[in-house]
Amino acid sequence: MAIIDGILAELDHEAQTTRRVLERVPGDRLAWQPHERARTLGALTMHVATVPGSVAALAAMASPVQIPSFVDPPLTDVATLLPTLDASVAKARRLLGDLPDATMLDDWRIVDGDRDVVVMPRAMFLRAVLLNHWYHHRGQLTVYLRTLGVPIPSIYGPSADENPFL
């Protein structure tokens, strides 16, 4: 099995969990934010929906890559969330699906001018940013939802609101 196969299998599995969280986002609260320096619910939600495709597009570039500007598209209608997530996961699979192990193991760099910002094997970048970073923001989103009184779905087991084992 190629290295990318394991990463894409995890992406597919976690996309289903992310889908369950995104299904709960209330469309009438998109401008809400827990603190003035925090993202709004809509901005955080779009970030979660678009991370796979955005990070994959970055990781598929030849190294070195100039540091990108990170701008999430606005969310105006929650009906676009699941199609956005699906398109993002499909984009990640399309861009990364054929990467050979040698490419996954080579050091990959993000630079700011002449200064290295990130230097690590591409596989490590994908695990850290495509996957772990995605889970981090999905976790933030569940805290937003809990604060708004929205029931939280099961993620890795029972939540206070849902027990998939019963």
Side-chain angles (χ1 to χ4, degrees), residues 25-46:
V25 173
D28 62 340
R29 301 301 303 270
L30 299 178
W32 181 85
Q33 60 191 123
H35 186 274
E36 65 191 28
R37 291 174 47 196
R39 283 180 165 139
T40 64
L41 174 64
L44 178 60
T45 300
M46 278 305 281

Side-chain angles (χ1 to χ4, degrees), residues 1-5 7 95-106 122-123 126:
M1 175 188 330
I3 295 168
I4 195 60
D5 293 339
I7 292 171
L95 291 172
L96 303 174
D98 294 329
L99 290 180
D101 286 354
T103 300
M104 294 293 288
L105 295 173
D106 282 343
R122 191 176 264 113
L126 289 171

Side-chain angles (χ1 to χ4, degrees), residues 4 8 11-12 52-54 56-57 60 86-99:
I4 195 60
L8 293 177
L11 175 69
D12 289 342
S54 298
D86 292 342
S88 183
V89 171
K91 179 179 179 180
R93 290 190 65 71
R94 184 179 73 255
L95 291 172
L96 303 174
D98 294 329
L99 290 180

Side-chain angles (χ1 to χ4, degrees), residues 105-149:
L105 295 173
D106 282 343
D107 272 347
W108 182 82
R109 298 171 41 227
I110 296 178
V111 296
D112 184 10
D114 294 334
R115 181 178 66 91
D116 284 332
V117 177
V118 173
V119 178
M120 62 179 67
R122 191 176 264 113
M124 186 175 174
F125 178 77
L126 289 171
R127 289 236 175 255
V129 181
L130 175 68
L131 299 174
N132 296 341
H133 161 252
W134 194 32
Y135 310 150
H136 160 75
H137 286 299
R138 185 178 67 196
Q140 282 183 314
L141 181 55
T142 65
V143 173
Y144 278 37
L145 295 176
R146 171 65 70 217
T147 302
L148 291 171

